[in-house]
Structure formats: structure tokens, C-alpha cells
């Protein structure tokens, strides 16, 4: 459990609170200032006066949501007031930004009068693209939302109602599928008739539940027709014509329990009396109506979901609201309607049935997740949720007629959404698209590795590459079966391949004067080294590139490739480079893996190869040759070596932007580089060439671990044909990215 002192320190340390406003435009010069404010700002003002929709073009309105609360029902804390609820509203803003890049202003309204809240929000409509109502008690929250939706022309969404209902419904659909029950026939009990409970009931009915099979309860018991105590119009709409009066009675024979009430509301005996394969969604926070341990102690066939992260099947609203608003904002929807909510439900339900990415498994202690009783809803940190829910919501808005700017190219829209998750996604999407134009054959020596098989599946599905898997055929097929995977790829078993003898003869020819006999070549190719076999496939033209190393040490992948494929004859050696992706930019760093103490000639070679590789990725290279000194400030053998390397590159490729020797901060900082007016670099460098392996390797690893950069590589440069090396910890996404880079390399051969 979170300690009080830790929570207070988290919110108070550094800049107070959890949010800040950051300018999205430069404001460094007098010209910037004149454009940002007076007199330049008058132009967009006049344009908006003439055409109000231009506010979406010239201001932040189209990406700005108000999180509005009066603090009357804050989490499990109750009516603590608007000011005390502010940390929660700031937190909501953080989640909007983190998961969907939606900006937020939190508005805490100091009034318990619902008409005051309505008036405040109505008056602020020009500011925002959408309104997220939060932590407002029932039944006032229903009235507030209804009135705002009637009177405003932007989306209004009460997340405590609809967010909970959407995530709960997605889990319910999957749970019913697992137990073979239809929602139209299921007997459903909802306990808790506040905002979330009423919304869960209404959405279940919208999805097909029979109202006569849905029994709602509150603290007074069953909500039945004719009841007068504790009623309001919203409960009345869900009142059931029944003789049932207590939750205990309602639970007998029920297929589904949905709880948004209080700890301990459900007893083990109630669970025992439910129908076969009962589904229990105990979402009271912080403690559920009944714990999974208690429920499973009396029923082994129960499917459980809670609101807690320490149990399987967490119903977490963060799976909904950021992406729902993202889709609504991107089509400038006038409202969030029932069709959009249902689209989000089905998108989330479908996502849970797909293979879970490695990145998600790592976030949860490397636990494996697959669709089943303990995984009926995606995890909150699943990056695919944005890419599935937002487009689904946008499509539903367009289809239902509430979208004012429909999206014409949905595939392009999904690619844009990927860029919101970081520059790595944007860069790799461009590379993947280039690879898909002409997919090449990529051989994987570790063809029976689970990650390789999963990556191969994605490569085939997306049309990025044509994987060739090396390994024992039966083992590869068995592993595919274990993964539930149908994969149309080439499997090559060196033990029985018709290629094996020819490869052995060629390996013997290549290495007969380097200590290898024919019998040893046959043994190596047939049984000893799949890296040799894969390298032979590339050498003989049966594959276009090799990608290996997920199960082997780095030298064990490079050595066979060097022995068989070899380096380009005009070069002194091969070189290693990493693509380092930061939030605000991409840098290529070399040599980080191969050349230990390069000469000036070898440094120049590294720079030329790096520029060539970067150009293949459609990026204009700007090269900095790094040292501990700037442009002759220190006369030392180490700086002279770097200076000479620059001269060699300029002689061989005068069209390249390159300069040095220079310090690393000078290379990447415009203000520092500007001090050297003679420099030939037109801007900060994007290729950094290190003077030795020590500095390069240390730097890239520190930037990866401490600087938050995503490291893609190592990319080998200087081989006759493309060979790249995987790392043991690489996940499936990284393998796919590396394969795409290998395809782009092969396209240039």
C-alpha cells in the first residue's frame, strides 16, 4: 500500500502539484514575442471572429479538455470539497496527457448547486474542445450532464458514469464469451445505484441485456416498481417488476454481478448460490464487494474482476477516457453518443483477445497474459489501446453523424496516433512503410525462439518482410502450436535441408585455408551453428539479410557472418551504430559496438558508413566527430586523430555536412555551436562519431538507461550484405523494428 509520507512527498517535491503549462511555440526573440502576442496575435483573433471554426486551427481548443468537479464525490473520500479534490483532477490531467496527448485544464467549482456547475461550464465553452465531468455525486451528476449535453456543442462526458460502464462492459462481453452465455439471456445484478451503477446498467441494456433480467440494488435493497424510499427518476427508469427485495435474494441464480457499492456487500454464500460459471465484477474502491480469494474459496468456476491493480482483470477507467476524447476531438464531435461508447466497448473487448505485447508483460513483472478467465480486459499500460479505441470512436462519430471534420484516411490517422507515443514510433513507422514497399527475405537463426516466432507473425501480417526460420522443423511447429499461431513462413531444418550439402561445400571452399576441413564444414552447417547456416543463406542469395543474436552472445553472431559474408572489400573493417530515440529528437551514435581503438582512417570510415545508413532511412545526415576539445583548443594526439578523420571525410565526400573535433554538448546545442561561426554544420548534429569504443559504448548505455532514450540496434555497417544483431533482452517490437531496418538495407543492395 502507498505510504502517506510518500504520497505527500510525491505531490510536494520540486514544482508543486503534477502539471505545468508548456509553450508549444518558440518565444526566444523579439520577433517570436511579436508573433505570440501583440501585434501578431491580432491576425488569428480577426480570423476567428470571421470564422469561429478557425479557433481549432489557431488555438489549443481542439486538443484541450476541461476536467470539472465540485468535489462532492471524490474517489472513495466522499464530499471533501472542490479544493481538496484538486489533486485528483490534476491527476486526471496527467493521465489524459500520458496516454493520449490530450491537454487539460482542471476546474474545481466551489458550489454544490448543480445549476452553478452548469452555468460555469456553459460560459467556458469557447475555451475547450471537450468537458470531462469528474467526482460529482449522484443524482446531481445525471442532471448536470444531461443539461450540458443539451445546451453545448462540444463533447460532455461524465467519466465516473460512462468510463466505468465502458470498461466494465468490455470485460463483461469477453467473460460471457468465455462461459458461452449470451448477454440477452444473462441474469444481471447491479449493486450500487449511483453514477457508475446506473451507467453500467444502462450500457448493458444498450448492448443487448434484457431489462427484465437486470435487477438493480442500492443500500435499501432491490429497486422495484412501486418503491418510494430512496428513489429518484434515474433509479425509477431501472426499477424491476419483481418480488425480490434483498441483494441476497437477487443473487440466487444470477449469471453476473456488477458491484459499484461497498466493501463486503457480497458474501461467499451469495456467490455459492449464483448460476454456473458466475461473473463477478466487484469494483468498489479501495476494497471490493468480495475479494477474489473469498469468491474462489467457494466457487472454482467464477470469473472475477475488480478495480484493483493487484488482482487480475482490473477495470480501470484509464483504458477509456483518454482515447474516447482523443477520437472525439480528432473529428470535432459535437457530443459523445451511445454509438461512440459502444464502439469503445467492442474495441477494448477485441484487444484483450489479441496477443499481449512484451512491453506490457514487462510492466507487470514479466507476467504472461493471454485471453482467458484471468485476462478479459487489456492492461492499462497496453500502448495499443490508443490505436484501437480512438479510431473506433472516431469512426462511430462519423457514422452516427456527429463528426464535423471526418477523417478521410483512417490508416494515416492511426499512424499519426503512433507518433503521439514518441518519436521512436514516428521514425519506425516511416521505416516500416518503406520496408513494406518491397519486402525482403530475412533469415532468423533462432527460428524456434518464442519472441522470434511472434515477431515473424507480425512481419507477415503487416507485409514488412518474408521471414525464414532456421531450426528443427518439429520443434518450430510445436512451439507455434503452443502459441496458438498459424504462421505461413519458410522453415529450414539444417538436418534435412536440401541446401545443407551445398552450403557445406561452399563453407569449405571459403575456409579451407583457415583451418576447416570438409567434414568439419559439414558438421558446422548441419548441426553445430545455425548462425553459419543463416549466413550461408544470405551469402548464397537464398535470403536477403540475417537477424540473429536473441539467444547467443554478440560475438557468436558476428563471427560466422564475418567468416561467410564478410565485410565490403574496400573497407578496413565493420562498424556498429545505435539509433537513439529521445522524446525531442533522434541521434545516431557510432562506433558503439565494434572498433575498440580506431585510427583516423577507421573513424572516417565509420562516419561515411553512418551517413550512408542514415540516408537510407530518409534522414539528412549532419555529422559531429567528437572529442574532449573544441576545434583545436587542445593540441593532443587524440584530438589530432579526430581532426584528421574529418579531413579524410571531407576529401572523400565533400557534399556531407561534417565538422570536428568538437565536444558532445557543442555538437547538439545550437547556442554553443553558434559560437563557432566557422563551423560547416548548419544545425545540431544528428550523427555522433565517438573517438573510441570506450566512450561510445558507455555513452549510449547511459543515455538508454538514465536518459530515457530508446536504443535501436546495434546496426552493423560495412558488411557485404545486411546483418544485424539482436540483444538478449529485446522484445518483439524491437525485433520487428530491426527486421524493418534490415529490409530497408537489403532494398539498397
Amino acid at each position: 500500500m502507498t505510504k502517506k509520507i510518500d504520497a505527500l512527498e510525491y505531490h510536494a517535491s520540486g514544482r508543486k502539484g503534477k502539471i505545468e503549462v508548456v509553450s508549444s511555440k518558440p518565444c526566444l526573440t523579439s520577433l517570436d514575442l511579436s508573433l505570440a502576442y501583440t501585434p501578431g496575435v491580432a491576425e488569428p483573433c480577426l480570423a476567428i471572429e470571421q470564422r469561429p471554426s478557425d479557433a481549432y486551427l489557431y488555438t489549443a481548443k481542439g486538443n484541450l479538455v476541461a476536467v470539472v468537479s465540485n468535489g462532492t464525490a471524490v474517489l472513495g473520500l466522499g464530499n471533501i470539497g472542490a479544493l481538496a479534490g484538486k489533486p485528483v483532477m490534476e491527476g486526471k490531467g496527467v493521465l489524459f496527457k500520458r496516454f493520449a496527448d490530450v491537454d487539460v485544464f482542471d476546474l474545481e467549482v466551489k458550489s454544490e448547486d448543480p445549476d452553478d456547475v452548469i452555468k460555469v461550464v456553459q460560459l467556458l465553452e469557447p475555451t475547450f474542445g471537450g468537458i470531462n465531468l469528474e467526482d460529482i455525486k449522484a443524482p446531481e451528476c445525471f442532471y448536470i450532464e444531461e443539461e450540458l449535453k443539451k445546451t453545448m456543442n462540444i463533447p460532455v462526458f461524465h467519466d465516473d458514469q460512462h468510463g466505468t460502464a465502458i470498461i466494465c462492459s468490455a470485460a463483461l462481453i469477453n467473460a460471457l464469451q468465455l462461459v458461452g452465455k449470451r448477454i440477452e439471456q444473462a441474469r444481471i445484478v447491479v449493486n450500487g445505484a449511483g453514477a457508475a451503477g446506473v451507467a453500467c446498467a444502462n450500457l448493458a441494456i444498450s448492448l443487448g441485456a434484457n431489462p427484465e433480467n437486470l435487477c438493480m440494488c442500492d443500500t435499501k435493497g432491490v429497486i422495484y416498481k412501486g418503491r418510494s424510499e430512496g428513489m429518484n427518476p434515474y433509479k425509477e427508469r431501472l426499477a424491476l417488476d419483481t418480488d425480490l427485495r434483498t441483494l441476497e435474494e437477487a443473487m440466487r441464480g444470477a449469471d453476473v454481478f456488477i458491484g459499484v457499492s461497498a466493501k463486503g456487500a457480497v458474501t461467499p454464500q451469495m456467490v455459492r448460490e449464483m448460476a454456473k460459471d458466475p461473473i463477478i465484477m466487484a469494483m468498489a474502491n479501495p476494497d471490493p464487494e468480495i475479494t477474489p480469494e473469498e469468491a474462489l474459496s467457494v466457487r472454482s468456476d467464477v470469473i472475477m474482476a475488480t478495480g484493483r491493480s493487484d488482482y487480475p482483470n482490473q477495470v480501470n477507467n484509464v483504458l477509456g477516457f483518454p482515447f474516447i476524447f482523443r477520437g472525439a476531438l480528432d473529428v470535432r464531435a459535437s457530443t459523445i453518443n451511445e454509438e461512440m461508447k459502444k464502439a469503445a466497448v467492442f474495441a477494448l473487448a477485441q484487444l484483450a483477445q489479441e496477443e499481449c505485447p512484451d512491453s506490457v508483460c514487462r510492466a507487470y513483472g514479466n507476467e504472461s497474459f493471454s485471453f482467458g478467465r484471468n485476462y478479459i480486459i487489456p492492461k492499462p499500460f497496453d500502448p495499443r489501446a490508443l490505436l484501437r479505441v480512438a479510431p473506433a470512436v472516431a469512426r462511430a462519430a462519423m457514422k452516427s453523424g456527429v463528426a464535423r471534420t471526418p477523417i478521410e484516411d483512417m490508416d494515416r490517422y492511426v499512424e499519426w496516433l503512433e507518433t503521439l507515443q514518441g518519436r521512436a514510433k514516428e521514425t519506425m513507422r516511416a521505416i516500416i512503410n518503406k520496408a513494406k514497399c518491397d519486402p525482403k527475405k530475412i533469415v532468423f537463426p533462432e527460428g524456434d525462439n518464442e519472441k522470434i516466432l511472434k515477431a515473424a507473425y507480425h512481419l507477415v501480417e503487416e507485409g514488412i518482410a518474408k521471414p525464414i526460420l532456421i531450426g528443427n522443423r518439429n520443434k518450430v511447429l510445436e512451439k507455434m502450436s503452443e502459441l496458438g499461431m498459424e504462421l505461413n513462413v519458410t522453415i529450414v531444418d539444417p538436418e534435412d535441408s536440401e541446401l545443407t550439402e551445398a552450403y557445406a561445400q561452399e563453407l569449405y571452399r571459403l575456409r579451407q585455408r583457415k583451418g576447416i576441413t570438409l567434414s568439419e564444414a559439414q558438421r558446422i552447417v548441419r548441426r553445430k551453428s545455425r548462425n553459419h547456416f543463416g549466413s550461408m543463406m544470405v551469402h548464397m542469395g537464398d535470403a536477403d539479410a540475417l537477424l540473429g543474436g536473441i539467444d547467443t552472445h554478440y560475438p557468436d553472431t558476428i563471427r560466422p557472418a564475418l567468416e561467410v559474408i564478410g565485410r565490403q572489400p574496400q573497407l578496413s573493417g565493420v562498424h556498429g551504430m545505435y539509433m537513439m530515440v529521445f522524446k525531442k529528437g533522434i541521434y545516431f551514435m557510432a562506433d558503439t559496438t565494434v572498433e575498440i581503438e580506431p585510427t583516423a582512417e577507421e573513424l572516417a570510415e565509420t562516419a561515411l558508413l553512418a551517413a550512408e545508413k542514415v540516408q537510407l532511412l530518409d534522414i539528412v545526415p549532419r555529422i559531429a566527430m567528437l572529442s574532449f576539445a573544441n576545434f583545436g583548443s587542445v593540441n593532443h594526439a587524440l584530438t589530432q586523430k579526430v581532426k584528421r578523420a574529418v579531413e579524410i571525410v571531407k576529401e572523400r565526400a565533400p557534399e556531407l555536412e561534417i565538422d570536428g573535433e568538437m565536444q558532445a554538448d557543442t555538437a547538439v546545442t545550437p547556442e554553443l555551436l553558434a559560437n563557432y561561426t566557422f563551423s560547416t554544420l548548419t544545425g545540431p548534429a544528428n550523427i555522433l562519431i565517438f573517438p573510441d569504443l570506450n566512450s561510445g559504448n558507455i555513452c549510449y548505455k547511459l543515455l538508454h538507461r538514465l536518459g530515457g532514450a530508446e536504443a535501436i540496434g546495434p546496426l552493423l555497417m560495412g558488411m557485404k550484405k545486411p546483418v544485424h544483431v539482436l540483444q538478449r533482452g529485446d522484445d518483439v517490437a524491437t525485433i520487428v523494428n530491426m527486421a524493418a531496418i534490415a529490409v530497408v538495407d537489403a532494398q539498397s543492395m
Side-chain angles (χ1 to χ4, degrees), residues 246-258:
T246 67
L247 176 62
E248 184 177 8
E249 292 173 358
M251 289 285 277
R252 292 185 189 126
D255 296 294
V256 178
F257 170 80
I258 296 173

Side-chain angles (χ1 to χ4, degrees), residues 92 108 265-266 296 340 388 443 450 507 555 604 694 711 717 738:
K92 198 81 171 189
E108 291 76 34
V266 174
L296 289 166
M340 295 160 74
R388 305 300 172 79
V443 60
E450 182 175 320
L507 180 61
N694 258 331
M717 305 181 296
M738 290 288 285

Side-chain angles (χ1 to χ4, degrees), residues 141-142 145 158-166 194-196 198-200 317:
C141 61
F142 303 123
E145 186 188 44
H158 185 202
D159 187 49
D160 298 321
Q161 290 183 60
H162 311 298
T164 303
I166 286 167
V198 169
C200 286
N317 284 23

Side-chain angles (χ1 to χ4, degrees), residues 288-305:
E289 285 81 358
I290 186 169
T291 66
E293 293 92 342
E294 290 171 325
L296 289 166
S297 70
V298 295
R299 295 287 294 266
S300 61
D301 61 343
V302 66
I303 294 180
M304 280 287 303

Side-chain angles (χ1 to χ4, degrees), residues 432-440 456-467 743 747:
I432 286 170
N433 285 342
K434 189 169 184 177
K436 290 165 74 171
C437 292
D438 184 18
K440 298 294 183 181
Y457 176 83
H458 289 290
L459 293 171
V460 172
E461 283 291 298
E462 294 189 45
I464 298 169
K466 302 171 183 177
V743 169
Q747 289 171 348

Side-chain angles (χ1 to χ4, degrees), residues 88-224:
V88 177
M89 307 315 133
E90 286 188 358
K92 198 81 171 189
V94 170
L95 298 180
F96 266 108
K97 189 67 176 177
R98 161 64 178 80
F99 288 98
D101 196 30
V102 172
D103 295 317
V104 163
F105 290 160
D106 59 292
L107 301 177
E108 291 76 34
V109 181
K110 189 180 178 181
S111 175
E112 294 190 18
D113 184 338
D115 289 317
D116 287 345
V117 177
I118 291 168
K119 189 66 173 177
V120 167
V121 175
Q122 287 172 330
L123 292 173
L124 289 172
E125 181 171 355
T127 305
F128 298 102
I131 304 295
N132 183 94
L133 300 173
E134 192 76 18
D135 292 349
I136 302 171
K137 68 183 177 73
E140 289 89 337
C141 61
F142 303 123
Y143 167 65
I144 290 171
E145 186 188 44
E146 287 175 356
E147 288 302 306
L148 290 176
K149 291 185 80 165
K150 277 191 247 177
T151 58
M152 298 184 75
N153 203 29
I154 57 176
V156 178
F157 184 83
H158 185 202
D159 187 49
D160 298 321
Q161 290 183 60
H162 311 298
T164 303
I166 286 167
I167 315 308
C168 173
S169 295
L172 176 60
I173 285 173
N174 279 340
L176 287 169
Q177 179 180 325
L178 284 169
V179 299
K181 296 180 180 180
R182 294 171 56 83
I183 193 169
E184 295 87 352
Q185 299 168 344
R187 279 201 57 227
I188 301 172
V189 176
V190 179
N191 193 49
V198 169
C200 286
N202 285 329
L203 188 53
I205 292 169
S206 180
L207 290 166
N210 185 344
E212 295 181 3
N213 288 339
L214 192 149
C215 182
M216 174 160 272
C217 303
D218 60 10
T219 56
K220 308 296 183 184
V222 172
I223 297 174
Y224 58 89

